Structure formats: C-alpha cells, structure tokens
Amino acid sequence: MSERPQNDDPDPTDPFDELVEAETDRDPDLAVIEAGSRTLRAQAGPPQGDPIPARPADPEVDRALRTVEDELAGRWGETKLDPSVQRIVALLDILGSPQRAYPSIHITGTNGKTSTARMIEALLSAFDLRTGRYTSPHVQSVTERISLDGAPISAERFIETYRDIAPYVEMVDAQQEYRLSFFEVLTAMAFAAFADTPVDVAVVEVGMGGTWDATNVIDANVAVITPISLDHTDRLGETHEQIAVEKSGIIKKAATTAAGAAGTVVIMAQQPVDAASVILKRAVEVDATVAREGMEFGVISREVAVGGQMLTLRGLGGEYPEVFLPLYGAHQAHNAAVALAAVEAFFGVGSDHARTLDIDTIRSAFAAVSSPGRMEVVRRSPTVVLDAAHNPAGGRAAAEAVTEAFGFSRLVGVVGTSDGKDVRGLLEAFEPIFAEIVVTRNSSHRAMDPDELAAIAVEVFGAERVQVEPRLDDALEAAITLAEEEGEFSGAGVLVTGSVITVGEARLLMGRS
C-alpha cells in the first residue's frame, strides 16, 4: 500500500477532509442543534476458533442447562415490550445493583449492534482490560449472550448464575403486576456475572429500542448509536424520528467528575437526518458530547482483501492506517469506525488528550474479530454464506457485501423470516442478486409461514424463480443442488438469510459447533 501522510504533517488534500465536506450537505436545521451541542474532535497530532459454544458434552450439565432454558422460555418473550424498567430495577436493587460495579459502554441502533459490540470488546481486551459483553439475540446457544473476556460464559457458569438469582427473581415476581420477562432475567444474570468476575468494563447491547429497554438501568459514559432504520415499527414507531426518540433514551447526563466536567460521550454512526436531529437534541438536553461519523471520525479508505478488507480509519485522535478486518462489506467497515471511536472515547481520547491509541494493538485486535452469522462462510464448493439480515436496510447491506466480496456467477438465496417484519422490503433488497430463491422457515413459533412468504416472493421475483421447501434442511439441500447445476468451478453460491434464528439453525445443519 502507498505511504500515507503522517499526522504531524497535514496534507491539504487529506481524504478525511473530503469525507467531511461530503457529509456537510445536510439539513440546515441541524446547524442550530449542533450550535448548542458540544462536538468532539481531537487535534490529530482476542479468542481463536468458533466463538459459538456447542451443547455441553456432559449429559448432566446439558440437562441442567435445558431446565434453565425451559424456565426462561416460560416467561414473556423478548419481543414483548412493556414501557417500564420497574421490574428490572426492583430485581437489581435486591441484588445490590451489580450494574454499578463497573463502567459500561451502551449500544443501541437498528443494524450492526452485535458486530460493533464484538469489535469494541476485542479492542478493550487487546488493551488488557477484563471485559463483559451482553448481546442479543443469540445465534445458536443462549449462553452466547453473556461473554467474559471474549468468550461465551460456560454452561456451568450460566446455570450457576441463574440459580444464584432465581430466589430473588421469584421475590420480584410476587411483588409485581407482571412476572419478569425472559430478557429482564437474562439482563440481570449478565450484570451479576460481570460483577462477580469482576470485569473492568461491560459492553452492553440494547435488546429493543432504548428508553424502556431492560439494559437502560446502566449509566454508561459512552453511548453508541449504530445506524437507525425502520424495524419493530409496531413497538418503536413508524418513522426514523420516532424510533430515534426511543433509542436516544440511552443518552444520560453523566455524574460530574472530580475535574468538574460531565463525561458522557455519544458516538453516532451515520444517520438519516431526522434521526440525527433527535439524537443531537437529546445530547443538548443532557449536556453530552457528540462524535459523528463522517465528521469527527470515519472510514478514510477501504480495499477488498483476501478474507476481509483493509481499512484506513480516522479516529477521534488521528489516523489508523492498514487495519485488516476479517469481515466483509462496507457496513462492517463503518461498524469498525464506530467501535474504534467508542473505545477512544472510553479512554478519554478527544477530550482529555489528543493522541492515537497504539496502532499495533488496534491492528491485532481488529484482525482477531469475528461475528458469527454475519457474512460467514460455512462451506466451499459451492460456497455457502450465512447472514442474519432481517430488515430492508440489513438486506441492502448484505446484498452489497456479498456482491463485492464474492462476485458469484450465480447466487441462490435461502430465506426464512419472522412474522411482523417488512418481508417485501427485505426480498426486494435481494431481488437483483438472487438467480433463484428457496423460501423456508425456521423452528421458531414466530417464523413466517413459508407459503405466505412464497406468495410475496412470487410477486417480487416471479414464480419461475421461487421454490418452497418448508423444512430448512430440505431448503439448504435444494439451494446447494441449484448452485451445483452450474458445475464445480462455476463460481455459484448460496446465501442463507432472513433471520438470526434461520442462520443459527443453518449453521448447525452445516456442521458448525
């Protein structure tokens, strides 16, 4: 790669300046908001192997884990949203407020939350911090949701943590109008496990929305908002603006530090203008500092590389060249920029001091990142790729990524979605790249009926390009057969998508874990 200008030798043609100039063509109303908001820009001067756990090998442990899973599944599902944190607050109070035992980085948004959380975790771990990560939903095992030092919590530790808090859960259940939900209990388990370890920092992903989410009992000094798009519109609102109101609820006024300065920093990915307006207004209300992708930080350049992409990132403290990211797609490059800025903000870069973090540490951390079920290759000849896209924005990102990274001569889609999603919008995102589509369903009770899905697919693709296979294993076999019709060296492939659950079950069927 060509040599780039050093930070102490400013180049008048700095590509980041061009990026900033391009991003300033925005709604003039934002100028008024930004005038009242402090923006952050400093003067520039992990585990290997499959990160998804298999079922426990010990039959006794496996039975105990299934018992816990069944008890959790008997509660409210995590897609049921009650606008209250009353129950989780009551439980955490009894547990001694474990969420206050460590600093946190809180992440919300519509797409990219889990990948961004994994990158943040990898970066923090590379700087020798003990980390806890809480993400959702899981790909294959519920234990994935709670990670310690970059690895999912063991089945034994998961069972122990549940049993430790179960008596207190029952106490709160008896006191409240509604029992604690599946997600609320898991959230309390994560916070308790982090405190018991103990961790140096927790990376916490919102389950849904922000304001009323069970995770919003933490007071994080770094609030991350990944791209907002339309999803869960029946619960969060039907416009970007309405959804941003819910998600910006994680931005809180920080306690005054010893130096007398409020410490909350908002790391904001590129957003629709109406969503950005809401986020910036919220930042003004609580006197938070804002760092905006495309302004204070961003992606300077990216090149497709074997097994991923090579990036040059602009952080809050300066430039980070030649960073290899073993994930595909422009959206993952933007997630990397957001993750880097969040970690810089956590370490005080851009506010307390102006410097870059150690470049070798940053490079090694990003090189070790994985994000299962996100443009993940699980088979060759023909190549089978898994991606958990489940809304139109995710579909468009996945379509662009698979086209850029693989260049298949013919691509067959396997799609199984959940009820209540914008299925037509998702299918329309994939229509230009799928030669054929095999519609199916996963084992979840929320899965969309394959015949209903097929009816929409026929309207989008035409009947001759649509095949229905109600069983996921049959759908995978049918898609692989279609791809193989092109010949062994044809460059045909299969993309499995539509739901995290579909991807997780396909991953198992393809022999992972």
Side-chain angles (χ1 to χ4, degrees):
M1 299 182 70
S2 59
E3 185 175 347
R4 292 176 171 82
Q6 299 301 309
N7 290 333
D8 57 357
D9 184 18
D11 185 339
T13 61
D14 184 347
F16 193 77
D17 290 339
E18 296 176 7
L19 184 151
V20 170
E21 183 177 353
E23 288 297 323
T24 53
D25 183 17
R26 52 176 64 198
D27 191 314
D29 288 344
L30 292 187
V32 176
I33 300 166
E34 291 175 1
S37 169
R38 292 181 292 121
T39 58
L40 177 62
R41 182 175 184 183
Q43 297 301 310
Q48 300 300 315
D50 193 337
I52 300 297
R55 295 298 308 184
D58 185 328
E60 290 297 324
V61 175
D62 188 54
R63 278 193 289 272
L65 179 60
R66 290 186 188 279
T67 298
V68 172
E69 291 170 333
D70 289 343
E71 290 180 14
L72 289 169
R75 296 180 172 274
W76 265 6
E78 59 192 316
T79 58
K80 184 164 184 176
L81 183 66
D82 180 47
S84 170
V85 293
Q86 178 178 336
R87 291 180 302 278
I88 185 68
V89 167
L91 176 58
L92 292 173
D93 282 349
I94 295 175
L95 294 175
S97 298
Q99 77 280 11
R100 303 193 187 282
Y102 38 79
S104 300
I105 296 176
H106 207 180
I107 307 169
T108 191
T110 303
N111 292 309
K113 297 188 296 297
T114 298
S115 292
T116 302
R118 285 180 170 274
M119 293 180 199
I120 291 172
E121 174 189 50
L123 289 165
L124 293 169
S125 296
F127 285 100
D128 297 324
L129 294 180
R130 298 210 68 181
T131 58
R133 173 173 51 83
Y134 181 52
T135 53
S136 60
H138 56 273
V139 177
Q140 289 174 202
S141 171
V142 69
T143 59
E144 297 165 39
R145 297 183 180 224
I146 305 172
S147 287
L148 297 169
D149 293 325
I153 191 172
S154 69
E156 292 86 349
R157 182 78 179 272
F158 187 89
I159 295 163
E160 179 186 3
T161 303
Y162 176 78
R163 289 174 175 168
D164 283 347
I165 74 167
Y168 306 103
V169 171
E170 292 175 5
M171 289 173 57
V172 174
D173 283 345
Q175 296 168 355
Q176 301 293 325
E177 182 179 2
Y178 303 108
R179 297 172 71 217
L180 286 148
S181 70
F182 168 90
F183 188 73
E184 287 169 331
V185 175
L186 271 178
T187 301
M189 288 173 61
F191 293 157
F194 297 162
D196 187 58
T197 297
V199 301
D200 297 316
V201 55
V203 182
V204 179
E205 176 188 335
V206 161
M208 186 188 301
T211 301
W212 303 115
D213 188 74
T215 65
N216 204 30
V217 293
I218 60 175
D219 294 318
N221 280 354
V222 179
V224 178
I225 304 183
T226 66
I228 290 173
S229 59
L230 301 181
D231 199 7
H232 299 297
T233 53
D234 56 330
R235 297 173 177 87
L236 303 180
E238 298 181 351
T239 67
H240 293 125
E241 183 177 9
Q242 291 171 339
I243 294 172
V245 169
E246 289 299 319
K247 294 187 181 293
S248 63
I250 72 167
I251 305 171
K252 303 183 182 74
K253 188 175 183 65
T256 302
T257 65
T264 301
V265 178
V266 181
I267 304 298
M268 185 174 75
Q270 291 178 341
Q271 304 289 352
V273 168
D274 48 355
S277 299
V278 169
I279 296 166
L280 289 167
K281 286 177 181 176
R282 173 64 179 174
V284 171
E285 291 171 1
V286 300
D287 195 27
T289 301
V290 181
R292 304 152 296 175
E293 184 184 5
M295 299 296 285
E296 284 73 45
F297 68 94
V299 180
I300 292 178
S301 67
R302 53 182 295 270
E303 301 172 9
V304 176
V306 176
Q309 52 193 312
M310 188 67 73
L311 310 176
T312 295
L313 302 176
R314 172 72 178 215
L316 303 177
E319 186 175 312
Y320 297 81
E322 299 183 8
V323 174
F324 176 69
L325 180 68
L327 302 175
Y328 300 106
H331 62 295
Q332 294 290 18
H334 290 286
N335 290 339
V338 170
L340 175 60
V343 172
E344 285 184 308
F346 181 79
F347 286 128
V349 174
S351 55
D352 296 340
H353 45 76
R355 62 173 176 82
T356 57
L357 300 176
D358 180 72
I359 184 61
D360 290 334
T361 303
I362 295 297
R363 286 172 177 157
S364 64
F366 274 122
V369 165
S370 66
S371 193
R374 278 76 178 177
M375 279 294 131
E376 181 184 18
V377 177
V378 293
R379 172 183 166 148
R380 299 287 185 182
S381 187
T383 299
V384 178
V385 182
L386 310 180
D387 192 83
H390 57 274
N391 55 46
R396 289 189 292 272
E400 292 173 6
V402 75
T403 300
E404 175 187 76
F406 298 95
F408 292 120
S409 61
R410 181 172 178 233
L411 182 61
V412 181
V414 175
V415 180
T417 63
S418 299
D419 271 331
K421 296 291 184 179
D422 182 359
V423 173
R424 181 179 297 276
L426 178 69
L427 296 179
E428 287 174 347
F430 287 116
E431 190 279 330
I433 68 167
F434 284 168
E436 293 93 10
I437 178 173
V438 182
V439 299
T440 187
R441 65 168 295 155
N442 57 57
S443 63
S444 168
H445 68 279
R446 294 172 49 222
M448 188 172 190
D449 181 84
D451 290 330
E452 294 179 16
L453 178 56
I456 301 173
V458 166
E459 294 177 4
V460 174
F461 290 86
E464 69 283 356
R465 295 166 64 191
V466 179
Q467 182 172 333
V468 182
E469 294 290 349
R471 287 170 52 105
L472 181 56
D473 54 350
D474 292 337
L476 290 169
E477 183 176 352
I480 290 170
T481 300
L482 286 169
E484 288 176 334
E485 288 176 356
E486 291 288 290
E488 183 179 355
F489 303 107
S490 67
V494 175
L495 176 63
V496 184
T497 190
S499 162
V500 174
I501 300 170
T502 300
V503 163
E505 293 180 357
R507 201 173 189 273
L508 277 173
L509 289 168
M510 298 303 294
R512 289 301 178 98
S513 293

